[in-house]
Amino acid sequence: MSKGNLRLFMVAGALISSGSVYADEMIRNGQFNGIDGWWTAGAQVATDNNQACMNITNPGSDPWSVILGHGGVGLAEGESYIISFNAYADVATQVKTLIQHEGPPYTHYFVDDTKIGTEKKHYSFEFKQDKPSDAGGEFQFQMGAQKPATVCISDMSIQGKPYVEIVENSPIRHNQIGFLPKADKFIFIASDSEQPLKWTLSNAQGINIDMGRTEPFGENRASGEQLHRINLSHYTSEMSGLTVAIEDDKGFPFDISSNVYSRLKYDALSYFYQNRSGIEIKPEFVQRPDLARPAGHPNDVVTCFDKQDSWGNNWPGCDFTIDTTGGWYDAGDHGKYVVNSGISTWTLLNLYERGLWLDSANTPFTSGNVAIPEKDNGVNPLLSEARWNVEFMLAMQIPAGKKVYAPIGDQSADQKLELTEIDASGLAFHKIADEAWTGMPLPPHMDTQKRYVGQPSTAATLNLAAIGAQCARIWRDIDADFSKQCLEAAQTAWDAAQKHPEIYAYDNFTGSGPYNDLELDDEIYWAASELFITTGNDKYKQVVVDSPLYLDTPKANIEADGDIYWQYTAPLGTISLAVVDNTLGKDEIAKARQAIIETANNYTKQIEAEGYHIPYSVEEYPWGSNSNLVNRSVFLIYANDFTGELQYLKAAANAMDYVLGANPMNISYVTGYGTNAAQRPHHRFWAKAADESYPAPAPGALIGGPNSVSFSDPVAAPLKGNCIGQTCYRDNINAWTLNEITINWNAPLVWVASALDEGKLN
């Protein structure tokens, strides 16, 4: 068996194949042909004529408030390095030129307070690495805490011997927790051998119980590997502690059990409680005592953003405050976003509605084992958890008669936005977040930054309309007053969105992501669908049936943007129409279900072409690629609900196999699940990787995973050109484009783990 593809080299933090040639130049785009390889913070950067110019309008209070950075600078102890570049500014200024470790404790290996004048000047520094070798070095120009300026850099170079680390990766990959009895059971082997390989299967006692030869698959285009497979699907009896061995390599142990997902669905749901804002996270409701913490932002009363943004726009604020206490923190930071809340909350509520309306599905989470403060209130705990965020979304609605400033119309990212004062009654603020990005690590209860709501947006308002309508029908017989509040908010939001159809979000302050969206036909269709289902009102029905996205579902093409996510929500409306009782008509509901089945068919057709037997063929793996696999599984499971055919459930289980270890990184992308599970998600409280005094992540968090599209963080940047699709990943707390965790990824994990646990593959 050839093991040439099993040894990967980490050069300056980037995994590359052993056949690569190591150049002495460690800056991959020193001529600034675009911004590839670089990342920025706190200011806009433009590249032209082989130079990068940072337009610094808001310098902040610290040097690191504004950064032009480049990851993947590996330094070897005892070696000498030369840093050189040209620079000038429109006004005399000073920057910090430095190389440091890419994360806490940010050990400095070189630092210079560099004075930059208005005439272009060449700078050169030589230093010797007198500290231990580090493959995770990072070069930065820190430009904050000075006067506003435009600083231009060109001919950037760092020369010297890159530090190289070798990382071993086992060739045997599979779902590390195991397989449901009636599911497919594939073991994958990375090998250059064109001949079948001899394998053995051992039980928990180490006794060989089966043997055979692998089936060569050939090249897996998504990873560049040559793969073999072992098919153990004929094993349907429950067994534990099984292992597969090939020559000297032994895989991780796995089970065949109907309980494979029984614990995971609870831990995945616990993610939401543990990322609540505004409430103490108590030890009796978490898996380990160190996961408990005081309430973060217990009085989240804020006003509108009232400073200059990074585009140079002066925001005047507003004359009122709103109480946004509660909700879920969106991801690893302390922001809360209405648009991402929308799809996340809908997914949890839809899981409940599936059990409510379909005979093929059970009502989820009825065992009483969900650990949240509301567990004994007599309401399904899935609803209680979702309500925590629904109430936050309702609080983001602007009261009647209030005026705010907002940018109106389709405005491109390179122009100065014009702000207009509007009557914002009924609109929803887009987000609430810290004024600037918080450091790492920092638990929410220790966050002292000023917080703001950003502008309202039409997208956020339509998300509120959709979730308010969904809430109204679900709580109608549970809490009539809350149901009425939800419906009134939804209808008010719908009317406000019709009045202001072109308020688009953008990156108007630096402590949060923009979640911008210029295509709103999908939100309109989704919101109208939910309102029509709940009210039966013809005015909403007309919008639904007249929509260009009527009964829309993903087309399952190979483009990276073909799956549902916060910017593509039309299929949520189609699913609700297909599942929840409504007056659309029997034939039209059947068409909605058929559209879902057709999407599922397109997913299943992709399986045989993929080396890891997954329903996912794409040209590139996008940010949050793992969430696409579980979101596809939602459609696959609904196809099983509507047809009874097990092939769809098996395809969904295949997707989970990949997420839980059947991938070229040989890693489980769900924290706490599997022998080799991700341990360093990008999270400011679950930050043991940054500081030993902080907790490791709670079990049950879905990592975003491989990303071959965005290389915009300091860890991912060196991977560009050195990875293929499924291999563009590192388990690193500073790799937010690869290792982020967030509510809209964990929500479908809850959905799928619950459905598989209670499904027909047991």
Side-chain angles (χ1 to χ4, degrees), residues 82-106:
I82 297 175
I83 303 169
S84 63
F85 56 91
N86 297 328
Y88 67 95
D90 62 345
V91 295
T93 188
Q94 180 173 294
V95 305
K96 283 189 179 295
T97 304
L98 59 86
I99 300 177
Q100 65 181 21
H101 182 66
E102 64 189 6
Y106 300 108

Side-chain angles (χ1 to χ4, degrees), residues 397-398 400 422-428 457-458 460-466 469 486-503 523-524 527-528 531 535 537-540 543:
Q397 190 165 41
I398 298 173
I422 61 170
D423 177 359
S425 304
L427 292 172
S457 73
T458 307
T461 305
L462 290 167
N463 270 258
L464 175 57
C486 285
L487 184 57
E488 289 177 350
Q491 292 174 321
T492 300
W494 174 265
D495 292 341
Q498 306 313 300
K499 183 179 178 181
H500 298 291
E502 292 187 300
I503 305 177
E523 282 86 359
I524 293 170
L531 280 160
T535 67
N537 192 313
D538 283 344
K539 80 171 183 178
Y540 302 123
V543 174

Side-chain angles (χ1 to χ4, degrees), residues 528-550:
S529 297
E530 303 295 354
L531 280 160
F532 164 65
I533 293 168
T534 299
T535 67
N537 192 313
D538 283 344
K539 80 171 183 178
Y540 302 123
K541 179 180 179 180
Q542 200 62 47
V543 174
V544 170
V545 298
D546 289 345
S547 170
L549 297 173
Y550 179 53

Side-chain angles (χ1 to χ4, degrees), residues 124-138:
S124 182
F125 308 95
E126 183 172 358
F127 74 99
K128 185 175 183 180
Q129 174 68 357
D130 57 4
K131 292 184 172 65
S133 300
D134 184 1
E138 178 179 283

Side-chain angles (χ1 to χ4, degrees), residues 341-365:
S341 282
I343 190 171
S344 306
T345 307
W346 179 91
T347 302
L348 297 186
L349 294 178
N350 175 259
L351 175 61
Y352 177 82
E353 291 198 299
R354 172 178 177 261
L356 186 65
W357 293 106
L358 299 185
D359 293 338
S360 56
N362 296 320
T363 302
F365 297 105

